[in-house]
Amino acid sequence: MRMISASILASDLSRLSEEVKRVEPYIDMIHLDVMDGVFVPNITFGFPVLEAVRKCTDLPIDAHLMIINPEKYVERFIDLGASIIAVHYEACVHLHKVVYQIKDKGAQAYVALNPHTPIEMLSEILEDLDGVLIMTVNPGFSGQKFIQSSVEKIRKLSEMIQKKGLKTKIMVDGGINENTVEKVVCSGAEILVMGYGIFRSDFASFKRKLEAIKCF
Ligand code: DX5
Ligand code: ZN
């Protein structure tokens, strides 16, 4: 299964609802990049924008929380309509607790890993997760260059998931485009987050490429 989640951070936010409508037929989810200026060197948006997006579409919304102390806010993101919540491993002292806070509220719990964080950090918690979000750029901005070493990381994670017989999804985020998609999909990524690749590029050509990928 290959799914696309559109990161509205790369859209024209002055025309948010038109932008969501424009890409809606081609995608499976909307990705909301929440940044606090502390965990990452950028500030984006939070609850009001989630509410606005919720009104624009019935697609599932996944909230990628690049914030410290996410446990203070996860429940409100779920109440406002996010059905997947990704918290960063690097931002959680009590990761297990946050994961269950999300799951007990009925949402799917994903844990995001910065590019330098090894997947082994999740070995004791993997079976509790609905998904892992592998950052393929340093979090903070759309339009950055894909980090090549992520490919091997995705492959290792996919192997770990299979060995444990789990159904944990692998989501990838950052620099996914026509040039990088084949590598990530064939390494085991199932959900592709896309910012520039969908809002600022020739998406039809990307879609053709994605559909033609055959992994051996
Ligand atoms: C980066 C964000 C990404 C970003 C993706 O911190 O988490 O979701 O918006 O944008 P592209 O696809 O342009 O790298
Ligand atoms: Zn993101």
Side-chain angles (χ1 to χ4, degrees):
M1 191 183 37
R2 295 165 187 174
M3 301 215 297
I4 294 179
S5 189
S7 162
I8 56 157
L9 183 58
S11 71
D12 177 354
L13 288 168
S14 68
R15 299 166 51 250
L16 179 59
S17 73
E18 287 124 284
E19 287 283 79
V20 170
K21 288 274 167 274
R22 177 166 74 89
V23 298
E24 206 176 26
Y26 315 105
I27 62 171
D28 306 281
M29 280 188 248
I30 297 284
H31 183 84
L32 195 76
D33 284 308
V34 180
M35 305 188 190
D36 65 356
V38 179
F39 181 69
V40 284
N42 195 10
I43 299 175
T44 53
F45 36 64
F47 303 124
V49 171
L50 169 56
E51 285 180 288
V53 176
R54 192 60 297 165
K55 285 188 196 155
C56 300
T57 178
D58 291 328
L59 286 175
I61 297 173
D62 73 281
H64 176 193
L65 306 186
M66 286 159 275
I67 61 176
I68 60 164
N69 305 129
E71 68 284 354
K72 289 189 188 166
Y73 307 103
V74 289
E75 287 168 14
R76 191 143 165 227
F77 277 104
I78 298 166
D79 285 336
L80 293 177
S83 50
I84 295 181
I85 305 285
V87 293
H88 266 264
Y89 163 82
E90 302 83 2
C92 298
V93 179
H94 302 289
L95 189 56
H96 195 263
K97 211 168 152 189
V98 192
V99 162
Y100 274 90
Q101 221 185 329
I102 297 168
K103 292 176 82 158
D104 291 345
K105 261 284 204 184
Q108 293 181 43
Y110 278 51
V111 170
L113 294 181
N114 278 339
H116 71 275
T117 305
I119 54 156
E120 285 77 14
M121 295 306 183
L122 298 181
S123 64
E124 307 308 319
I125 200 171
L126 199 58
E127 43 218 51
D128 299 294
L129 306 182
D130 295 292
V132 176
L133 170 47
I134 297 281
M135 288 309 299
T136 43
V137 298
N138 284 298
F141 304 91
S142 301
Q144 301 183 83
K145 197 164 169 271
F146 179 85
I147 296 173
Q148 291 300 333
S149 57
S150 318
V151 176
E152 180 58 12
K153 190 169 168 183
I154 298 162
R155 198 192 56 71
K156 270 165 55 184
L157 175 61
S158 170
E159 222 174 80
M160 195 194 261
I161 291 169
Q162 277 173 31
K163 262 196 198 144
K164 290 181 185 259
L166 301 173
K167 294 204 161 61
T168 324
K169 296 256 178 285
I170 302 181
M171 185 187 261
V172 288
D173 185 8
I176 307 298
N177 56 37
E178 265 191 73
N179 304 320
T180 54
V181 66
E182 182 158 357
K183 290 180 274 203
V184 298
V185 166
C186 294
S187 308
E190 293 181 85
I191 307 172
L192 312 169
V193 175
M194 297 183 65
Y196 271 46
I198 184 159
F199 287 106
R200 303 191 191 203
S201 320
D202 176 3
F203 188 63
S205 137
F206 174 85
K207 265 292 227 198
R208 279 196 297 277
K209 169 107 194 206
L210 179 63
E211 275 148 26
I213 294 173
K214 288 198 176 49
C215 305
F216 297 102

